[in-house]
Amino acid sequence: MSNKVDAAKQQIRERMWGLLERERAAEPGVHGYIPAFEGADAAADRLASLPVWQAAQVVKSVPDRAQQPVRERALLDGKLLYMAVPMLADELPFYLLDPRRITVTAAEAASRTTAAEVARKVSVEEMQPIDIVVCGSVAVNRNGARLGKGAGYSDIEVALLQEADLIRSTTVIVTTVHRKQVVDEPLPGTEHDFSVDLIVTPGEVIECGPSRRPSGLYWDHLTKEKIAAIPILAKRAAARGR
């Protein structure tokens, strides 16, 4: 069953990547990635206009280029920003960017390459509760179901933060995308997939209703190779005797 779901997901991803390239709605070379879509700056501005954003003090974001304008806006708006280390490839899997302490511009700090140089890495245990989670998507529907690029890192990030009680019932999960990435069809998923509360495009805000949030990690869905490649998972697996 899982293989069928994975194949169905990949078919939709390939279709979406092809569409975005044909329509020139994203930067070239989108296949295999979260698309750096046309209008990402406008989507970040629209998100920043929402009361839920204005009330937020702590934002957690993926490191993808599509969400760089959102990360920059978070810093400009004085919010504490956590950004996942790409591929969670460190024992301290999140960067902490405090706008009161960064020594470069917000635009520079929002770049994952500069963040790697200037930000302090932190453990999950050091983090504060999250008000807004910002994720990237390849496709998303109006019910909030989403597909990432297929690597599963966003699902793992959300699961880790959920287990640590850093994502709460009041936390809002949002994705910023091009309007062409919003589909009207059901999207396949499994129990480890999360959904979003809000979709923000350059021209629209879509409220999806309460999001689906797994209670934590689904170890049976993680391969040995994936566990070994992510230090925080490898450490936890060893502690569990896996």
Side-chain angles (χ1 to χ4, degrees):
M1 180 65 177
S2 176
N3 289 339
K4 289 183 179 179
V5 171
D6 290 344
K9 287 181 176 182
Q10 191 61 22
Q11 186 176 36
I12 295 169
R13 291 187 191 102
E14 295 291 346
R15 190 180 76 216
M16 182 58 65
W17 286 324
L19 171 66
L20 294 173
E21 284 197 329
R22 288 194 306 275
E23 299 289 334
R24 297 183 180 178
E27 294 181 6
V30 297
H31 285 258
Y33 298 95
I34 296 295
F37 62 93
E38 185 72 25
D41 290 336
D45 289 342
R46 186 167 293 278
L47 173 58
S49 73
L50 301 179
V52 68
W53 175 271
Q54 294 163 7
Q57 297 181 1
V58 182
V59 175
K60 178 267 168 189
S61 176
V62 290
D64 300 282
R65 285 187 57 218
Q67 281 66 51
Q68 183 168 331
V70 177
R71 298 194 297 271
E72 180 180 351
R73 189 58 187 255
L75 295 172
L76 289 173
D77 289 350
K79 303 183 190 302
L80 195 69
L81 174 65
Y82 294 111
M83 182 173 76
V85 172
M87 298 186 290
L88 299 172
D90 195 279
E91 290 185 6
L92 302 174
F94 292 93
Y95 294 118
L96 168 62
L97 291 160
D98 187 334
R100 300 168 299 177
R101 293 182 170 84
I102 56 175
T103 56
V104 295
T105 66
E108 291 172 315
S111 162
R112 71 182 191 180
T113 53
T114 303
E117 298 171 357
V118 304
R120 182 167 69 90
K121 292 176 183 175
V122 295
S123 66
V124 172
E125 291 74 21
E126 295 176 84
M127 295 172 67
Q128 296 183 30
I130 311 298
D131 298 314
I132 292 181
V133 171
V134 180
C135 64
S137 302
V138 175
V140 62
N141 67 23
R142 291 174 179 268
N143 292 325
R146 63 173 285 280
L147 296 180
K149 59 181 176 285
Y153 294 111
S154 286
D155 292 319
I156 293 171
E157 291 163 25
V158 167
L160 287 170
L161 298 176
Q162 190 85 43
E163 284 187 348
D165 198 30
L166 296 172
I167 292 177
R168 300 178 173 178
S169 60
T170 54
T171 303
V172 176
I173 302 180
V174 58
T175 190
T176 54
V177 293
H178 193 278
R179 63 179 178 82
K180 292 184 181 295
Q181 294 175 257
V182 182
V183 300
D184 292 324
E185 64 192 274
L187 293 176
T190 62
E191 58 263 41
H192 72 254
D193 294 316
F194 68 89
S195 64
V196 301
D197 300 295
L198 288 176
I199 303 166
V200 181
T201 76
E204 185 179 14
V205 176
I206 302 168
E207 296 185 8
C208 305
S211 56
R212 181 179 66 253
R213 308 177 185 195
S215 59
L217 290 164
Y218 285 81
W219 287 96
D220 291 343
H221 292 203
L222 297 169
T223 65
K224 291 182 180 179
E225 291 76 17
K226 177 72 76 176
I227 293 171
I230 299 177
I232 189 173
L233 295 187
K235 184 177 180 179
R236 292 189 180 194
R240 293 164 60 95
R242 297 180 67 93

